[in-house]
Amino acid sequence: MDSSLYNHTSPQDVWYVLTGIPGLEDLHTWISIPICSMYIVAVVGNLFLLFLIITERSLHEPMYLFLSMLALADILLSTATAPKMLAIFWFHSTDISFGSCVAQMFFIHFIFVAESAILLAMAFDRYVAICYPLRYTTVLTSSVIGKIGIAAMVRSFFICCPFIFLVYRLLYCGKNIIPHSYCEHMGIARLACDNINVNIIYGLTVALLSTGMDIVFIIMSYIMILCTVFQIPSWAARFKALNTCGSHICVILMFYTPAFFSFFAHRFGGKTIPRHIHILVANLYVVVPPMLNPIIYGVKTKQIQEQVVLLFSSMSTCC
C-alpha cells in the first residue's frame, strides 16, 4: 500500500490497541485482583470521606474542605483509568478509538495537575494555621477556599488543553499499538510519523513549570512551618503542630514519587528500566494513592476518627 495513504491517516479513523502490561500478559488476571480491590476501596473510602465532610458541620473547616477536593480528584483519577484497565485484563477489551483515547489522556493529565494544585493549597492551609493561627479563619474563608478550588480547575484546564491540539496536529502512519493500560500524551504522540519535539518540550515544560513549581512552593511552605515550629518552646506544642502536617506529607510523597518516576522513566529510562516495571508503577499510581489517602487521614486525623465513631454509633443505635 502507498505510504502516502498512511501519512494522511485521519486521527478520527484511528483505533488504538492498549496492550495492558507488556511482558506480563499471562499475569493480567492475577494483577487485576489487587487493582480491582484497591479501586473499590479508593472509591468507597473517598465517597465516605466526602459524605462525612459534607454532612458534619464540625468538619466545615479549610483543611477538610481541601481534603474533600482531594477526595473528589482521587475518585475521578481512578475512575478515568481503572475500569478500562480492568476491561483489558478481564475481557481483552483492548480497542479504543482515537477520540476516546484523547479524552482519557486529557482527563488523566487534567486531574493530575488539579490534584497537584490542591496539595499546594493544603500546604498553604498548614502554613497559615501554624505560622499565623490568629488570622487563620479570616484568611481562609469559605469564599477564598472556593476561589482557590476554581483557580485550580481553570489552571489545570488551560495547561492541559494544548495536549489535545498537540496530538491532533500530528500525522499518523498506521501504528496503533500502545504498550500501556491507559492513554497518556507521549504514548499517543510516539505513534505518529511526525516530528514530536514540540510535544516532548511542552510535556517537560508542564511537568517542570506547573507541577515542579507546586513542589517548590510546598517545600518553601514547610521550611517556613519548620522555622516557626522550632521557635515554640514547648516540645509537646511542637509535636502537636508537626502532627497536623503528617497526613499531608504522607499524601504528598505518595502522589509525587510514583508520578515523577513514571514521567521520567517513560522519557529517559527506556533502556535502563524494563517497560513492564514503569507501566506497572503507572497502573498502581492511579489506584494506590486514591486508596490510601482516606485511610491516612482517617488514621491520623482525630476529628475524622471522632466523626466516624459517632456516625457508626448512631447507626447502631438506630438499628
Side-chain angles (χ1 to χ4, degrees):
M1 185 177 287
D2 188 352
S3 62
S4 64
L5 294 176
Y6 281 126
N7 289 340
H8 293 88
T9 300
S10 171
Q12 287 81 1
D13 298 331
V14 176
W15 279 78
Y16 290 139
V17 176
L18 293 166
T19 62
I21 304 174
L24 299 180
E25 288 85 357
D26 293 339
L27 299 176
H28 276 178
T29 302
W30 295 105
I31 293 170
S32 70
I33 295 172
I35 287 179
C36 180
S37 302
M38 288 186 283
Y39 173 60
I40 292 170
V41 173
V43 172
V44 172
N46 283 291
L47 282 175
F48 180 73
L49 194 59
L50 272 173
F51 170 78
L52 204 62
I53 293 171
I54 291 170
T55 56
E56 297 296 335
R57 292 190 62 83
S58 61
L59 297 179
H60 290 183
E61 298 177 7
M63 174 182 172
Y64 302 109
L65 295 177
F66 286 129
L67 181 56
S68 68
M69 296 180 195
L70 184 67
L72 180 60
D74 282 338
I75 293 169
L76 295 175
L77 179 62
S78 57
T79 302
T81 52
K84 181 59 179 178
M85 197 187 304
L86 293 172
I88 294 169
F89 294 160
W90 287 341
F91 311 116
H92 305 289
S93 176
T94 57
D95 293 347
I96 185 170
S97 68
F98 182 84
S100 299
C101 198
V102 171
Q104 187 184 50
M105 173 206 74
F106 172 78
F107 281 112
I108 290 170
H109 291 304
F110 172 81
I111 297 165
F112 175 82
V113 175
E115 193 159 344
S116 179
I118 293 167
L119 290 174
L120 174 59
M122 295 173 80
F124 177 68
D125 166 77
R126 293 298 84 205
Y127 164 72
V128 176
I130 293 172
C131 299
Y132 301 99
L134 299 178
R135 298 173 57 188
Y136 182 60
T137 54
T138 56
V139 171
L140 287 171
T141 61
S142 298
S143 174
V144 170
I145 294 167
K147 289 175 182 177
I148 290 174
I150 293 170
M153 297 300 106
V154 171
R155 184 191 81 149
S156 184
F157 179 81
F158 281 109
I159 286 173
C160 295
C161 255
F163 285 130
I164 298 174
F165 300 106
L166 286 173
V167 294
Y168 264 99
R169 75 180 180 86
L170 297 172
L171 295 175
Y172 296 90
C173 312
K175 292 188 294 182
N176 68 339
I177 306 295
I178 299 179
H180 210 309
S181 304
Y182 54 81
C183 299
E184 51 88 37
H185 173 231
M186 288 308 301
I188 299 173
R190 289 187 191 282
L191 297 180
C193 53
D194 218 341
N195 188 314
I196 61 170
N197 285 339
V198 174
N199 299 67
I200 294 171
I201 292 169
Y202 186 75
L204 285 170
T205 302
V206 166
L208 296 175
L209 294 185
S210 64
T211 311
M213 289 306 296
D214 289 345
I215 295 173
V216 170
F217 287 127
I218 288 171
I219 292 171
M220 288 173 59
S221 297
Y222 274 99
I223 289 172
M224 290 185 283
I225 286 170
L226 288 173
C227 290
T228 301
V229 166
F230 286 115
Q231 291 175 0
I232 301 173
S234 168
W235 279 98
R238 288 182 188 179
F239 178 78
K240 184 178 179 181
L242 289 174
N243 192 48
T244 62
C245 302
S247 302
H248 186 236
I249 292 172
C250 290
V251 169
I252 287 171
L253 292 175
M254 284 194 308
F255 179 78
Y256 287 115
T257 304
F260 275 94
F261 172 83
S262 295
F263 177 84
F264 288 110
H266 195 72
R267 284 162 176 78
F268 309 115
K271 296 181 180 178
T272 57
I273 301 172
R275 177 174 288 176
H276 68 270
I277 294 296
H278 71 75
I279 298 299
L280 185 59
V281 170
N283 288 354
L284 293 175
Y285 164 72
V286 297
V287 288
V288 173
M291 175 192 70
L292 292 179
N293 287 352
I295 296 173
I296 289 171
Y297 274 97
V299 169
K300 294 187 68 68
T301 308
K302 185 179 179 182
Q303 292 92 325
I304 292 179
Q305 291 176 6
E306 291 173 348
Q307 292 303 325
V308 170
V309 171
L310 188 63
L311 179 64
F312 279 102
S313 62
S314 63
M315 289 173 61
S316 62
T317 303
C318 292
C319 293

